[in-house]
Amino acid sequence: MSDIPRSGATATEGVAIDETSQLIAASKVNGTAVYSRAGENIGSIYDVMIEKRSGQVAYAVMSFGGFLGIGERYHPLPWKALTYDTSLGGYVVDIPRDRLEAAPSYGRDETPWSDPAYGRRVSDYYGVGGV
Amino acid sequence: MSDIPRSGATATEGVAIDETSQLIAASKVNGTAVYSRAGENIGSIYDVMIEKRSGQVAYAVMSFGGFLGIGERYHPLPWKALTYDTSLGGYVVDIPRDRLEAAPSYGRDETPWSDPAYGRRVSDYYGVGGV
């Protein structure tokens, strides 16, 4: 792999091709801050998991804790749990912190998605449909 | 912006958390090569446009031509037009090259998505539903 970004729609380009009122580029979602209902910064969006066949976003994966990936935890969240707040410049997740902390999550070296039942456990935990 | 990648699920980490049989991480889609039906490399996926409300991927944006972004063109394609080919290690698009070249596209400094009708023009061109 070279150091050339794999996706070029970064905030540094200054050209607004990555968001409209209805659409947002995946590369813009990734890295966006996540806040609690109380406005506390609880993490950021690490990645978005897409259902290959349908093209439906199944989960947004929030990362929190750690430093440069060390000690970081990844929390899959239903896409619908995220509400963008323009004044905060990030997503608000209206889920109590203790409930988020007890939710399915994984560390940097874990591969939970290789278990086909993992997504279902996440969906069941949050009480939504999913893969 | 720092130089820290906004999304960490890169191929260099070596941990298979970014793809399963059913799901794929947006950061893994971005940068993936695109081939014609004849197996010719015609470009790569630049980004994925997601419908904010539904979480449905509306378009995959293919980039082609140019060098490090200069002279590059961006072609929005319906998600369903992409079929992953494991032997090629990329997406195959079964659309004739002349039809792709005549399709709606934009250059690096253009902002077509700011026009709400743009997505509709793309969908109409390829004869599929969309935003």
Side-chain angles (χ1 to χ4, degrees), chain B residues 18-114:
Chain B
D18 55 359
E19 188 171 6
T20 71
S21 59
Q22 292 181 69
L23 298 172
I24 189 162
S27 65
K28 183 159 191 187
V29 175
N30 291 355
T32 300
V34 178
Y35 297 89
S36 70
R37 179 79 168 167
E40 180 195 9
N41 184 334
I42 53 173
S44 62
I45 303 295
Y46 173 76
D47 217 330
V48 164
M49 300 299 287
I50 300 167
E51 285 183 35
K52 289 180 183 177
R53 194 175 304 256
S54 66
Q56 176 70 37
V57 171
Y59 309 100
V61 181
M62 182 180 79
S63 67
F64 81 90
F67 180 68
L68 300 184
I70 300 155
E72 212 169 13
R73 299 290 299 172
Y74 303 102
H75 283 243
L77 295 172
W79 176 259
K80 287 184 196 306
L82 304 172
T83 305
Y84 194 79
D85 184 309
T86 49
S87 63
L88 288 168
Y91 292 100
V92 172
V93 174
D94 192 11
I95 299 168
R97 189 172 183 127
D98 57 349
R99 189 157 164 72
L100 274 177
E101 285 177 350
S105 69
Y106 50 96
R108 184 187 172 82
D109 295 324
E110 295 176 76
T111 60
W113 297 109
S114 57

Side-chain angles (χ1 to χ4, degrees), chain A residues 1 4 6-13 15-32 45-59 68 74 79-80 106-116 119 131, chain B residues 1 4 6-13 15-32 45-59 68 74 79-80 106-116 119 131:
Chain A
M1 297 291 293
I4 299 166
R6 298 175 71 191
S7 172
T10 61
T12 50
E13 281 186 8
V15 178
I17 58 170
D18 56 359
E19 187 172 5
T20 71
S21 59
Q22 290 182 72
L23 299 171
I24 189 162
S27 65
K28 183 159 190 187
V29 175
N30 291 355
T32 301
I45 302 295
Y46 174 77
D47 216 329
V48 165
M49 299 299 289
I50 300 168
E51 284 184 34
K52 289 180 183 176
R53 194 175 303 257
S54 65
Q56 176 70 37
V57 171
Y59 309 99
L68 300 184
Y74 302 103
W79 176 259
K80 287 185 196 305
Y106 49 97
R108 183 188 174 81
D109 296 324
E110 294 176 76
T111 60
W113 298 109
S114 57
D115 174 2
V131 176
Chain B
M1 294 292 292
I4 298 166
R6 297 174 72 193
S7 171
T10 62
T12 49
E13 281 185 7
V15 178
I17 58 170
D18 55 359
E19 188 171 6
T20 71
S21 59
Q22 292 181 69
L23 298 172
I24 189 162
S27 65
K28 183 159 191 187
V29 175
N30 291 355
T32 300
I45 303 295
Y46 173 76
D47 217 330
V48 164
M49 300 299 287
I50 300 167
E51 285 183 35
K52 289 180 183 177
R53 194 175 304 256
S54 66
Q56 176 70 37
V57 171
Y59 309 100
L68 300 184
Y74 303 102
W79 176 259
K80 287 184 196 306
Y106 50 96
R108 184 187 172 82
D109 295 324
E110 295 176 76
T111 60
W113 297 109
S114 57
D115 175 2
V131 177

Side-chain angles (χ1 to χ4, degrees), chain A residues 73-91:
Chain A
R73 299 291 299 172
Y74 302 103
H75 283 243
L77 295 173
W79 176 259
K80 287 185 196 305
L82 304 172
T83 306
Y84 194 78
D85 184 308
T86 50
S87 63
L88 288 168
Y91 292 101

